[in-house]
C-alpha cells in the first residue's frame, strides 16, 4: 500500500520526532518479541540525520531499564534517558500529591516503585498487569476505591489493546474502564494520551509541538494525543493497526505509512537528506 | 388508591397476567416475607396468569424453585423466567455457540447449548472466570464479530465479606476494547418483560409487575407498557417511589397488600 496524505510535502520544518515503541519498533511477545522489519535501520538513520529523537511508550509490563536492555538486544540504538514511560511519570505524581498507592501492576514493573509508601493506601494505581488482572486482584482494587471518601484512580495509559506476537491483547484501559464503571469515578491517566506526557518529551528535546512529529500505531493514544498538544501524528500500518483506523470517527492522522521504515525514508527524502 | 385503580383499568384494559419478582418481594434469602405464601395462594385463585421473574446470574432455575418450595411457596419451574432464561432464548434465536461466563451453578440453564468453537460471548456473574486469559479470549471473539450478550450490568453485589464486582464492569471493559455494544437481557430491559409476558400469551398492556426495585422491576415494566406495583420490602428505601417518572402505578406495603389491591380494587372495579 502506498502512503496516503501529503504529510511529507510539508515536513521540512520538523525538528524532532517521538517514536512509539511497541507496534512501531517491535512486536512484544514471548521470548522478548521481534523487531518489525526495517525498524532498526530506520531508527539508526533517523538518529544520524540530526533530528531530535525520543521514545514515548506506555509500556508498563517491565521497568524502563529492562525495556531499554531488550531494545538494545534487538539492535536498536536506544538510551535510557531517551525513553519516556508512564511509571517514572506516575512516581512524580504520587510524590507531588502525597499519594500512597494500592498497586495493581505487572510484577516486573514493581522495581520502578521501590521506596514508594504503599501503607494505608489513599489511591489505586494500575498498569498493564496482564495475568495479575484476576478477579481477585481487581476486586481488591475495587474495595480500596469504594472504601475511600474521595476515590482516586490513576491509570498508566488507557489503551484498549495492543499487538502481541500471537494476536491482539487487552490493555490496561479496559480494566481502567471496568473500575471506573464499578466505582463511578473517572481515572487520571499518566502516559499517553495525557498532554503532560507529550509535553515532557518535547521539553526534553527543546522542540516546539508544531515542529514535532509523533509516529505510532495507536490512533487514539499516539495520534490523537500528539495532535491534542499541537504536534503532527503519523500512523504506521504495523502493530495494532486495523484498517478501520483510517476512518476513525474523531481522530484524523496527518498521514499513514506502511511502517517506520517508510516514514523515515519519506521524512528524510522530503527534508532533502 | 381508587383513582389509581381506575387509571390502571383504563390503561390496561383487562388485567390478565401478573409478574412477580422473587428476592425482596416474596423472600429475603431463607426468610419468607410475612404473609407472602398465603398471598400467592390467593393470587392463584384469581383468573390471572402468574410468572416469576428475576435477575439471577449464578442460580439455575431449579435452584430457585427448590428454595421457594422449601419456603412453602407453590412455584413450578415452568413458571419462572430469569435473566438466564432470556440469555438462553437469545442464544437460540441467534443460533450462536456462546463462550459462557457463568458460574457452574448456572450451567444447567444452558444444558444442550453447543459451546464448542464459540462465536458469541455471554457474560453473567463468574468471579472464577473473570480473569485475564479468558477475557482476552472473549475479546478476540468480539473482534471477529461475535455478539456480546450481558445477563445484566450490575456494578457490584453484596457478599458476606463485603462488596464485590458484578458483571457490569467486565461488560463495560469489553465494550470499550471492541466498540461493540452489549445486548443486555435481564431486568430492566424492555425485551425481558415483553418476553416474559409473551410466554403467558398476553400483551404487556394486560400485565402488571410486582417488585421491590423501583428501577429494575417497576420502571422497567412500565417502560415495556405494563403497570407496576412497588412493594416496601427487600431493598426498598423511603423515597424510592419518587425516583422514576411516571411514578409506580401504585405503592403497597408488601406483596400481601399488593395481592389484596389486585383482587379487591382492580379486578372488582
Amino acid at each position: 500500500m502506498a502512503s496516503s496524505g501529503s504529510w511529507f510535502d510539508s515536513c521540512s520544518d520538523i525538528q524532532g520526532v517521538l517514536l512509539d515503541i511497541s507496534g512501531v519498533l517491535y512486536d512484544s511477545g514471548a521470548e522478548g518479541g521481534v523487531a518489525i522489519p526495517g525498524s532498526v535501520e530506520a531508527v539508526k538513520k533517523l538518529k544520524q540525520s540530526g533530528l531530535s529523537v525520543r521514545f514515548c511508550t506506555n509500556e508498563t509490563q517491565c521497568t524502563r531499564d529492562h525495556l531499554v536492555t531488550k531494545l538494545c538486544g534487538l539492535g536498536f540504538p536506544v538510551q535510557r534517558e531517551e525513553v519516556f514511560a508512564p511509571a517514572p511519570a506516575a512516581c512524580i505524581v504520587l510524590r507531588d500529591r502525597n499519594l500512597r498507592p494500592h498497586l495493581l501492576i505487572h510484577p516486573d514493573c514493581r522495581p520502578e516503585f521501590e521506596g514508594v509508601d504503599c501503607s494505608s493506601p489513599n489511591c489505586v494505581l494500575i498498569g498493564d498487569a496482564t495475568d495479575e488482572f484476576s478477579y481477585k486482584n481487581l476486586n481488591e482494587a475495587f474495595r480500596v476505591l469504594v472504601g475511600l471518601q474521595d476515590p482516586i484512580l490513576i491509570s498508566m495509559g488507557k489503551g484498549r489493546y495492543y499487538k502481541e506476537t500471537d494476536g491482539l491483547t487487552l490493555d490496561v484501559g479496559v480494566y481502567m474502564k471496568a473500575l471506573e464503571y464499578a466505582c463511578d469515578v473517572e481515572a487520571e491517566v499518566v502516559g499517553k494520551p495525557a498532554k503532560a506526557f507529550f509535553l515532557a518529551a518535547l521539553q526534553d528535546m527543546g522542540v516546539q509541538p508544531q515542529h514535532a512529529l509523533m509516529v505510532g500505531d495507536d490512533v487514539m493514544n499516539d495520534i490523537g494525543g500528539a495532535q491534542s498538544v499541537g504536534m503532527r501524528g503519523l500512523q504506521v500500518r504495523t502493530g495494532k493497526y486495523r484498517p478501520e483506523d483510517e476512518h476513525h470517527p474523531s481522530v484524523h492522522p496527518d498521514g499513514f505509512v506502511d511502517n517506520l521504515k517508510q516514514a523515515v525514508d519519506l521524512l528524510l527524502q522530503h527534508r532533502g537528506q | 388508591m381508587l383513582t389509581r385503580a381506575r387509571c390502571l383499568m383504563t390503561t390496561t384494559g383487562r388485567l390478565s397476567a401478573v409478574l412477580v419478582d422473587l428476592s425482596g418481594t416474596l423472600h429475603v434469602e431463607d426468610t419468607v416475607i410475612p404473609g407472602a405464601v398465603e398471598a400467592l395462594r390467593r393470587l392463584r385463585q384469581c383468573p390471572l396468569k402468574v410468572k416469576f421473574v428475576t435477575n439471577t446470574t449464578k442460580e439455575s432455575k431449579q435452584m430457585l424453585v427448590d428454595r421457594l418450595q422449601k419456603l412453602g411457596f407453590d412455584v413450578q419451574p415452568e413458571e419462572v423466567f430469569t435473566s438466564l432464561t432470556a440469555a438462553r432464548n437469545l442464544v437460540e434465536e441467534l443460533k450462536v455457540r456462546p463462550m459462557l461466563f457463568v458460574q457452574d451453578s448456572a450451567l444447567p440453564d444452558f444444558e444442550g447449548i453447543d459451546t464448542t468453537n464459540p462465536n458469541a460471548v455471554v457474560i453473567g456473574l463468574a468471579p472464577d472466570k473473570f480473569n485475564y486469559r479468558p477475557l482476552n479470549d472473549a475479546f478476540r471473539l468480539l473482534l471477529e464479530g461475535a455478539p456480546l450478550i450481558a445477563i445484566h450490568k450490575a456494578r457490584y453485589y453484596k457478599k458476606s465479606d463485603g462488596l464485590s464486582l458484578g458483571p457490569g464492569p467486565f461488560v463495560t471493559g469489553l465494550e470499550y476494547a471492541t466498540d461493540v455494544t452489549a445486548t443486555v437481557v435481564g431486568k430492566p430491559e424492555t425485551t425481558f418483560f415483553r418476553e416474559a409476558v409473551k410466554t403467558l400469551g398476553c400483551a404487556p398492556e394486560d400485565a402488571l409487575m410486582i417488585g421491590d426495585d423501583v428501577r429494575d422491576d417497576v420502571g422497567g415494566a412500565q417502560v415495556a407498557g405494563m403497570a407496576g406495583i412497588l412493594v416496601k420490602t427487600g431493598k426498598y428505601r423511603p423515597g424510592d417511589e419518587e425516583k422514576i417518572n411516571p411514578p409506580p402505578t401504585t405503592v403497597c406495603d408488601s406483596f400481601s397488600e399488593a395481592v389484596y389491591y389486585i383482587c379487591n380494587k382492580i379486578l372488582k372495579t
Side-chain angles (χ1 to χ4, degrees):
Chain A
M1 230 184 296
S3 70
S4 63
S6 56
W7 65 274
F8 44 81
D9 292 329
S10 56
C11 68
S12 54
D13 60 342
I14 293 291
Q15 297 163 8
V17 179
L18 299 185
L19 299 179
D20 175 33
I21 294 178
S22 179
V24 175
L25 303 194
Y26 83 120
D27 282 324
S28 58
E31 288 133 38
V34 292
I36 290 169
S39 286
V40 171
E41 283 310 308
V43 174
K44 284 182 183 160
K45 268 166 81 174
L46 195 58
K47 288 188 121 184
Q48 284 158 6
S49 73
L51 287 165
S52 295
V53 180
R54 295 291 183 278
F55 302 88
C56 266
T57 180
N58 268 7
E59 178 66 68
T60 54
Q61 274 191 39
C62 60
T63 63
R64 179 165 52 167
D65 287 343
H66 180 89
L67 178 63
V68 169
T69 307
K70 186 158 75 173
L71 290 171
C72 290
L74 291 170
F76 289 101
V78 176
Q79 286 167 352
R80 186 178 187 272
E81 306 70 53
E82 299 169 330
V83 176
F84 286 77
C91 284
I92 293 169
V93 170
L94 296 173
R95 191 195 60 202
D96 289 353
R97 290 166 53 189
N98 287 318
L99 292 173
R100 298 178 307 276
H102 170 90
L103 297 174
L104 177 46
I105 59 173
H106 198 283
D108 295 343
C109 186
R110 288 207 171 253
E112 298 274 26
F113 295 90
E114 229 169 51
V116 170
D117 181 7
C118 298
S119 62
S120 53
N122 55 8
C123 77
V124 167
L125 177 78
I126 64 172
D128 179 15
T130 65
D131 285 312
E132 293 292 301
F133 280 132
S134 61
Y135 181 83
K136 184 175 161 289
N137 288 345
L138 266 177
N139 211 34
E140 269 173 28
F142 163 71
R143 287 180 175 183
V144 170
L145 283 172
V146 291
L148 294 172
Q149 201 165 17
D150 182 19
I152 298 174
L153 172 62
I154 300 174
S155 184
M156 295 192 284
K158 57 185 264 193
R160 305 196 296 169
Y161 52 82
Y162 53 89
K163 172 116 183 268
E164 292 256 270
T165 41
D166 72 336
L168 296 179
T169 301
L170 290 172
D171 199 357
V172 61
V174 174
Y175 296 93
M176 176 195 89
K177 283 286 169 191
L179 288 172
E180 281 188 339
Y181 178 79
C183 311
D184 249 331
V185 294
E186 197 176 327
E188 300 173 31
V189 177
V190 291
K192 298 177 286 190
K195 289 181 181 183
F197 194 67
F198 290 99
L199 293 174
L202 289 171
Q203 193 185 19
D204 190 56
M205 296 196 290
V207 171
Q208 294 298 310
Q210 64 271 24
H211 299 305
L213 178 71
M214 172 80 210
V215 185
D217 66 333
D218 187 315
V219 66
M220 293 286 284
N221 295 299
D222 293 330
I223 313 303
Q227 288 177 338
S228 77
V229 298
M231 296 174 60
R232 275 166 268 180
L234 196 56
Q235 186 170 10
V236 290
R237 296 190 181 102
T238 53
K240 75 178 73 170
Y241 164 82
R242 305 175 76 213
E244 297 92 294
D245 295 345
E246 306 207 19
H247 313 284
H248 196 275
S250 57
V251 180
H252 307 289
D254 293 276
F256 289 89
V257 285
D258 289 344
N259 48 41
L260 181 62
K261 178 183 185 307
Q262 189 183 39
V264 170
D265 284 348
L266 285 168
L267 176 65
L268 299 185
Q269 192 183 327
H270 286 82
R271 285 174 47 87
Q273 284 172 300
Chain B
M1 288 273 257
L2 271 175
T3 333
R4 282 273 174 80
R6 259 185 224 114
C7 169
L8 179 63
M9 280 305 294
T10 53
T11 54
T12 63
R14 192 179 54 90
L15 181 66
S16 61
V18 174
L19 304 187
V20 182
D21 172 50
L22 296 176
S23 175
T25 302
L26 295 186
H27 68 97
V28 172
E29 287 169 6
D30 288 329
T31 308
V32 176
I33 287 177
V37 172
E38 299 75 20
L40 179 60
R41 213 173 289 140
R42 277 203 309 281
L43 184 65
R44 287 194 183 283
Q45 286 159 6
C46 297
L48 294 169
K49 291 165 181 164
V50 178
K51 197 107 198 179
F52 302 92
V53 294
T54 181
N55 265 1
T56 175
T57 37
K58 55 179 186 183
E59 290 173 303
S60 68
K61 194 184 276 193
Q62 193 56 53
M63 290 172 74
L64 293 170
V65 169
D66 288 348
R67 173 197 274 162
L68 289 164
Q69 289 180 343
K70 223 167 76 187
L71 293 175
F73 289 103
D74 166 22
V75 174
Q76 301 307 315
E78 59 277 11
E79 295 175 312
V80 178
F81 187 85
T82 78
S83 45
L84 290 172
T85 322
R88 183 193 175 112
N89 289 354
L90 185 57
V91 161
E92 287 181 328
E93 190 185 311
L94 297 173
K95 296 188 172 64
V96 286
R97 299 177 305 276
M99 170 183 277
L100 292 172
F101 284 85
V102 297
Q103 291 297 73
D104 291 346
S105 55
L107 284 177
D109 283 2
F110 291 92
E111 211 182 309
I113 297 280
D114 183 7
T115 55
T116 56
N117 188 22
N119 59 2
V121 176
V122 172
I123 308 263
L125 182 62
D128 299 338
K129 294 172 190 176
F130 286 142
N131 293 312
Y132 183 70
R133 300 284 153 182
L135 285 170
N136 220 35
D137 292 340
F139 161 68
R140 289 181 181 184
L141 285 180
L142 296 175
L143 282 185
E144 286 163 20
L148 177 61
I149 298 168
I151 292 180
H152 61 73
K153 279 187 81 171
R155 290 174 160 77
Y156 47 81
Y157 68 109
K158 184 86 186 281
K159 255 180 58 178
S160 52
D161 67 338
L163 295 179
S164 292
L165 291 169
F170 298 94
V171 174
T172 306
L174 287 172
E175 287 181 328
Y176 174 73
T178 58
D179 277 334
V180 168
T181 303
T183 303
V184 184
V185 295
K187 293 186 284 187
E189 297 300 314
T190 295
T191 45
F192 178 85
F193 292 101
R194 296 229 163 124
E195 277 203 50
V197 291
K198 204 167 80 185
T199 62
L200 297 174
C202 77
E205 291 70 27
D206 301 331
L208 180 154
M209 168 80 205
I210 306 172
D212 68 323
D213 189 315
V214 70
R215 289 201 179 91
D216 286 0
D217 293 328
V218 180
Q222 293 186 164
V223 168
M226 305 168 52
I229 297 181
L230 178 66
V231 291
K232 295 182 172 181
T233 54
K235 68 170 65 162
Y236 171 84
R237 291 285 166 274
D240 275 358
E241 52 270 47
E242 272 129 53
K243 287 182 180 162
I244 57 168
N245 188 20
T249 310
T250 196
V251 182
C252 293
D253 282 341
S254 64
F255 178 67
S256 176
E257 197 192 287
V259 170
Y260 179 85
Y261 176 79
I262 291 167
C263 298
N264 294 284
K265 304 283 170 154
I266 300 179
L267 296 177
K268 288 188 181 162
T269 303

